């Protein structure tokens, strides 16, 4: 995703579109003039060809924009679905994951158990489980072993472990080495299934934009600038800048050094004040 400084402005986008279409007309006219050596004929034929190229470009851009919008809606819909699944109970999350898998694979959901959802797939009994976790967490080897133990307790042939987060490399290898292997469905795959089943609507996009549009807060800025873990970095920068001042005698090195020392002192005082009861 582009940062606001990398995104094109409306004026830059307009100039790019106008310039590209002007290039189409210019190249078309030059091409026909090279063939016929007649300026009036080259102008008429070149304008016609340039117009056709512009129409083809507009059609291609419209289709590309529609495909990007569909992909964006599917991705955001999957993200919102994962947030909902993470707040469900274990049984409800397993049912939701099984229904998402049912939209792609011919699963025959049988019943819901305390360990997950039992389903039939190509003559095999599957146990579908869903691990609810934050996106920053990782599925561990213990979670995989717990899923395999639940499969044995339920008498299922195989286990499908879904998660609203990613699998750690060790857990991924364990899923592949177990016998029978555990089918791992991480957050990306689950979000893709959810987005395909229910892409984000206009109302959801508006609500998501309002939720992520946070006003500037001095409180958050102070918490970042005066964080206690930055004291050592401030002292180190201040020391090097002071050494530079001693070697060069330049004032532009002394002022930043004093600023870094002041930031370190303020961060230290705020840390002591926060740690006091």
């Amino acid at each position: 995703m582009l940062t606001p400084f990398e995104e094109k402005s409306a004026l830059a986008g307009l100039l790019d579109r106008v310039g590209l279409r002007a290039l189409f007309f210019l190249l078309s006219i030059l091409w026909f003039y090279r063939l016929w050596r007649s300026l009036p004929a080259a102008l008429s034929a070149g304008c016609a060809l340039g117009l056709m190229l512009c129409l083809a470009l507009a059609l291609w851009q419209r289709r590309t924009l529609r495909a990007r919008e569909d992909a964006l809606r599917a991705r955001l819909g999957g993200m919102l679905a994962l947030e909902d699944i993470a707040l469900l109970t274990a049984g409800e999350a397993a049912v939701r994951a099984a229904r998402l898998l049912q939209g792609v694979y011919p699963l025959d959901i049988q019943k819901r158990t305390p360990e997950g959802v039992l389903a039939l797939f190509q003559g095999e009994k599957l146990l579908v489980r869903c691990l609810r976790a934050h996106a920053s967490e990782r599925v561990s080897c213990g979670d995989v072993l717990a899923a395999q133990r639940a499969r044995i307790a339920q008498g299922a042939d195989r286990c499908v472990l879904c998660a609203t987060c990613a699998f750690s490399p060790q857990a991924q290898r364990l899923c592949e080495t177990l016998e029978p292997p555990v089918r791992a469905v991480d957050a990306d795959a689950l979000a893709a299934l959810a987005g395909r089943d229910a892409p984000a609507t206009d109302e959801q996009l508006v609500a998501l934009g309002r939720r992520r549009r946070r006003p500037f807060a001095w409180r958050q800025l102070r918490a970042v600038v005066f964080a206690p873990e930055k004291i050592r970095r401030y002292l180190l920068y201040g020391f090097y800048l002071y050494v530079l001042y001693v070697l060069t005698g330049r004032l532009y090195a002394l002022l930043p050094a004093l600023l870094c020392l002041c930031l370190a002192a303020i961060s230290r005082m705020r840390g002591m004040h926060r740690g006091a009861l």
Side-chain angles (χ1 to χ4, degrees):
M1 184 176 293
L2 296 177
T3 62
F5 298 102
E6 296 173 330
E7 294 179 351
K8 288 185 177 181
S9 63
L11 180 58
L14 177 61
L15 292 177
D16 288 343
R17 292 192 295 270
V18 172
L20 183 59
R21 284 158 177 77
L23 182 63
F24 283 162
F25 281 100
L26 178 62
L27 292 178
S28 300
I29 293 172
L30 291 178
W31 171 259
F32 284 109
Y33 181 78
R34 180 179 178 274
L35 291 178
W36 298 335
R37 299 297 178 179
S38 176
L39 185 58
L43 285 174
S44 59
C47 290
L49 180 59
L51 182 60
M52 292 177 60
L53 292 176
C54 291
L55 292 176
L57 177 63
L59 180 61
W60 177 77
Q61 288 179 341
R62 189 179 305 170
R63 291 183 177 180
T64 303
L65 181 61
R66 188 178 306 166
R68 289 181 179 178
E69 182 182 355
D70 294 340
L72 179 61
R73 286 182 181 272
R75 183 165 61 89
L76 293 179
M79 293 171 52
L80 294 174
L82 288 187
E83 293 180 359
D84 294 338
I85 293 175
L87 299 178
L88 297 176
T89 62
E92 293 173 346
V95 172
R96 182 76 176 275
R99 295 196 180 279
L100 291 177
L101 294 173
Q102 194 179 31
V104 180
Y105 303 100
L107 287 182
D108 184 13
I109 299 177
Q110 298 293 310
K111 64 177 180 178
R112 171 179 165 182
T113 67
E115 302 293 343
V117 174
L118 291 176
L120 294 178
F121 175 69
Q122 296 180 353
E124 292 183 332
K125 182 186 290 187
L126 300 182
L127 175 65
V128 180
R129 288 170 61 92
C130 185
L131 180 64
R132 301 152 300 152
H134 191 264
S136 60
E137 300 180 12
R138 294 293 181 268
V139 178
S140 63
C141 295
D143 299 323
V144 177
L145 292 177
Q148 193 76 329
R149 288 193 295 267
R151 178 196 67 80
I152 297 173
Q154 294 296 322
D157 300 319
R158 295 175 60 190
C159 178
V160 179
L161 180 58
C162 305
T164 58
C165 60
F167 283 72
S168 66
Q170 297 82 3
Q172 189 68 42
R173 288 194 295 268
L174 181 60
C175 289
E176 298 171 356
T177 56
L178 287 176
E179 186 60 37
V182 175
R183 180 68 169 90
V185 181
D186 60 1
D188 293 336
L190 199 63
L193 295 176
R196 176 182 176 181
D197 183 64
T201 61
D202 295 337
E203 292 78 9
Q204 289 176 328
L205 293 178
V206 172
L208 184 62
R210 289 176 179 174
R211 188 176 63 181
R212 294 190 175 184
R213 190 183 300 115
R214 296 179 179 177
F216 179 79
W218 285 104
R219 188 174 184 179
Q220 296 178 358
L221 180 62
R222 289 196 301 268
V224 173
V225 173
F226 302 116
E229 55 270 15
K230 294 185 178 181
I231 297 176
R232 184 176 180 181
R233 189 180 305 174
Y234 288 147
L235 291 175
L236 188 63
Y237 290 164
F239 173 75
Y240 285 136
L241 289 171
Y242 182 74
V243 171
L244 181 62
Y245 167 72
V246 172
L247 295 177
T248 61
R250 300 292 182 178
L251 190 61
Y252 62 77
L254 179 61
L255 295 179
L258 295 177
L259 178 61
C260 290
L261 294 177
C262 291
L263 291 175
I266 297 174
S267 301
R268 177 63 177 172
M269 289 188 295
R270 286 176 59 89
M272 295 176 58
H273 179 71
R274 188 181 305 170
L277 293 178

